[in-house]
Amino acid sequence: MTRLFGFYTQNTLKCLYTLEELGTDYDFHLVDLFKGEQRQDDFLKLNPVGKVPVLQVGDESLFESGAICRYLANAAGSDSYPADPMARAKVDQWMDFFSVHLGHWLNTQYFENVIKVKAQMGEPNMEKCAEARKFALTQMAIVDTHLADHTYLCGDQLTIADLFAFAYIEQVEHLDFSWNDFPHAKAWFDRIESRDSIQRGRAKVTPL
């Protein structure tokens, strides 16, 4: 039995997209963060950190979206997380880049402009938004330049890095953002978004 616990967060979506792309048989269980379900005792037994997503496989549980996506691809024996050490390191490289850099700044903007409003947590911090926007645009330009010569982040084959990155970048659809300066990134975005796995993954959760 494989079950994913999550909410409408980008970290959950990374895992949903990976599960759907791999064709893994799983159940999805919604954990309502606004109701504090992530702090209930039963959930804390799965993840003592009290955050989603969490993957449960039999009696084992795993948290952190990157670890979950890597495990899923490994368990499926998928080339989306290559066995070759250098090819695998390049997947890790882009996953780390999005976690630490571009994805971080997009998350900041999304939290300030969307999550805080929906959760009634107050007005956006405009200073944080301005800083995040500045770094996000600079780093999106790096990604755009890279994608000018690559179909996917790691070459000509889709990897979990693309699904991982897409979950961050799709947040721009809810932000004051223009694709005009990033045509190669937009072509990549459209390429990923057209996949059935993305549509099936999105269907598992209700947008905020």
Side-chain angles (χ1 to χ4, degrees):
M1 184 272 293
T2 298
R3 175 175 291 174
L4 183 72
F5 295 81
F7 188 56
Y8 189 74
T9 66
Q10 304 316 120
N11 288 331
T12 294
L13 285 165
K14 295 173 196 173
C15 301
L16 284 171
Y17 297 155
T18 300
L19 282 160
E20 292 293 340
E21 185 68 34
L22 294 170
T24 303
D25 185 21
Y26 73 101
D27 293 326
F28 179 68
H29 181 82
L30 185 71
V31 179
D32 194 332
L33 304 187
F34 291 162
K35 294 181 179 178
E37 292 179 358
Q38 74 278 17
R39 294 189 292 274
Q40 293 180 358
D41 289 343
D42 286 348
F43 184 79
L44 290 173
K45 291 177 183 177
L46 298 173
N47 181 5
V49 180
K51 293 184 178 182
V52 295
V54 173
L55 185 74
Q56 185 179 27
V57 182
D59 294 331
E60 299 286 347
S61 61
L62 188 65
F63 61 91
E64 291 299 329
S65 59
I68 292 171
C69 291
R70 291 179 175 99
Y71 165 79
L72 289 168
N74 277 329
S78 172
D79 290 341
S80 63
Y81 193 40
D84 175 76
M86 180 56 72
R88 175 166 288 203
K90 288 185 177 182
V91 172
D92 290 335
Q93 163 188 271
W94 282 107
M95 291 174 72
D96 289 349
F97 171 82
F98 276 89
S99 291
V100 177
H101 299 292
L102 180 53
H104 167 73
W105 298 116
L106 291 175
N107 277 354
T108 298
Q109 293 179 78
Y110 189 79
F111 175 78
E112 292 294 332
N113 290 288
V114 179
I115 299 294
K116 285 179 75 171
V117 174
K118 295 292 184 179
Q120 299 181 338
M121 298 170 64
E123 295 298 315
N125 183 317
M126 301 312 295
E127 184 176 346
K128 284 186 177 181
C129 289
E131 178 188 45
R133 178 177 174 79
K134 179 183 71 173
F135 283 112
L137 291 174
T138 298
Q139 291 160 7
M140 186 70 84
I142 294 170
V143 173
D144 188 72
T145 298
H146 174 73
L147 288 170
D149 300 318
H150 300 82
T151 304
Y152 299 105
L153 286 171
C154 299
D156 295 327
Q157 179 176 321
L158 179 97
T159 69
I160 58 173
D162 294 289
L163 303 170
F164 196 85
F166 180 85
Y168 283 117
I169 291 185
E170 67 180 334
Q171 294 177 108
V172 304
E173 302 292 288
H174 305 280
L175 303 174
D176 180 18
F177 179 89
S178 172
W179 284 111
N180 291 342
D181 293 331
F182 312 110
H184 307 297
K186 182 60 166 67
W188 168 88
F189 181 88
D190 291 343
R191 193 175 302 122
I192 304 300
E193 189 172 41
S194 69
R195 301 183 75 88
D196 291 342
S197 58
I198 299 299
Q199 305 313 316
R200 292 194 302 266
R202 285 175 171 174
K204 296 289 185 180
V205 290
T206 302
L208 294 177

